């Protein structure tokens, strides 16, 4: 499922940093993280603003990969 979500996020115009391994994707479009949080929220997808994790995250959001397969599939559908 990680690969499907990664493809959907990049297909929506985001780039991913610091996401080589682990439970999270760090996505950015080079804009303020709160603008990105709002964009995802409009699609019913909850992400964490990168600014919660320090100054380096102000243009990133963190997406958890711990949701069920069904929820990830749903998010992928809303991003396409």
């Amino acid at each position: 499922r990680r690969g499907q979500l990664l493809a959907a996020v990049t297909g929506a115009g985001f780039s991913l940093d610091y996401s080589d391994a682990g439970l999270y994707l760090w996505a950015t479009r080079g804009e303020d993280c709160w603008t990105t949080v709002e964009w995802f929220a409009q699609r019913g997808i909850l992400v964490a603003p990168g600014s919660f994790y320090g100054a380096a995250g102000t243009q990133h959001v963190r997406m958890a990969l711990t949701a069920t397969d069904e929820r990830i599939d749903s998010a992928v559908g809303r991003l396409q």
Side-chain angles (χ1 to χ4, degrees), residues 8-75:
V9 170
T10 57
F14 291 89
S15 61
L16 299 173
D17 297 322
Y18 321 113
S19 300
D20 297 331
L23 299 175
Y24 305 101
L25 296 179
W26 287 90
T28 184
R29 289 194 300 193
E31 62 193 6
D32 181 75
C33 64
W34 289 103
T35 300
T36 307
V37 167
E38 182 178 341
W39 186 90
F40 276 102
Q42 290 171 352
R43 286 150 184 83
I45 300 170
L46 179 63
V47 297
S51 61
F52 283 3
Y53 305 97
T58 59
Q59 292 187 339
H60 289 79
V61 294
R62 188 176 88 162
M63 301 180 72
L65 297 172
T66 57
T68 64
D69 289 347
E70 293 80 16
R71 289 192 183 262
I72 291 175
D73 289 345
S74 178

